[in-house]
Amino acid sequence: MTVGTSGTPVCPQCGQALQALDESQWEAEGPVPEGTLAVYLCEGQHRVLVVPPAIQG
C-alpha cells in the first residue's frame, strides 16, 4: 500500500484511493489468509491485503 501526497492510501496497482473494508466484508470480496490485519478496496476494484511480514529463519 502506498500513501499519496494528501496522506490517503492509494492502490499500488492503479494509484486510485483505497477504502478500508470492515472486517465483516472481508470474506465477501474473496478468500483472506489467516493473520490478515486489514483489507482495502480501490475504486478500480483491486483488493489490497495487509498482512504481517513473513519471518525467514
Side-chain angles (χ1 to χ4, degrees):
M1 181 171 61
T2 306
V3 177
T5 56
S6 66
T8 304
V10 295
C11 178
Q13 295 180 6
C14 68
Q16 295 188 45
L18 289 172
Q19 181 174 8
L21 295 180
D22 189 63
E23 195 169 344
S24 64
Q25 297 175 302
W26 291 5
E27 293 291 328
E29 298 298 328
V32 177
E34 186 176 327
T36 298
L37 302 173
V39 178
Y40 292 85
L41 191 64
C42 79
E43 296 165 2
Q45 299 301 303
H46 296 115
R47 191 169 70 141
V48 178
L49 304 176
V50 178
V51 297
I55 298 174
Q56 301 280 326

